[in-house]
Amino acid sequence: MYTPVVYMACLLVALWLLFSAGIYFGESDAPNTKITSYGKALYWGIAAFSTAGIADTPVNGMSILLGGIWIVIGSALFFGAIVASITTYFMRPLQRPSKQIIDTIEYNLEQLDELSIEELELLKKMTDSFIEHVENLKFEQEKHLNSRRKQTIRESKG
């Protein structure tokens, strides 16, 4: 499990710049608007999605719609990234490494439909190799356990 904080932050900044530009251009010819520069539109973008409640309201109908969409998307990305990061931080100690491996394998199995025949063949070879490796590990562990048992029996008799 991981949290794509950097990806989310980059996406948030890119969308902030785009939506702010949209608001600026949407408000550029509107009468009585307080969003008269790109800088003010950038400020509006931060104030609007952060729920600070101090953003100037656009006056043009299309700008109002665009602003509403930005508030929903920006808030979801911003607060979603924060909640996901905090949840991951607190949940990480509770997950065993084997659980993480199983989760990763389950996720990747869901993606099988998108693989080509060549990729599926490669996956089959890798899976066969993995199974062989696991069987060898089990054999080595059993051999080691049997050796320890024999040694314990010898020590108890001697």
Side-chain angles (χ1 to χ4, degrees), residues 101 124-142:
I101 292 169
K124 182 185 179 313
K125 288 178 186 176
M126 291 172 54
T127 304
D128 291 344
S129 174
F130 176 71
I131 290 170
E132 184 179 321
H133 178 71
V134 169
E135 287 172 350
N136 286 338
L137 285 175
K138 284 182 178 180
F139 176 75
E140 290 296 321
Q141 284 179 345
E142 286 176 15

Side-chain angles (χ1 to χ4, degrees), residues 32-45:
N32 301 324
T33 185
K34 293 183 180 180
I35 304 171
T36 57
S37 68
Y38 186 60
K40 288 182 180 182
L42 288 171
Y43 173 78
W44 168 88

Side-chain angles (χ1 to χ4, degrees), residues 1 26 29 44 51-52 59 83 85 98 115 137 149 155 157:
M1 180 186 336
D29 293 334
W44 168 88
T51 67
V59 295
V83 169
S85 298
S98 59
L115 295 179
L137 285 175
R149 284 182 191 138
E155 288 173 356
K157 287 183 180 180

Side-chain angles (χ1 to χ4, degrees), residues 4-21:
V5 175
V6 174
Y7 172 76
M8 294 296 274
C10 291
L11 180 62
L12 184 65
V13 168
L15 289 174
W16 168 53
L17 295 172
L18 287 172
F19 274 92
S20 295

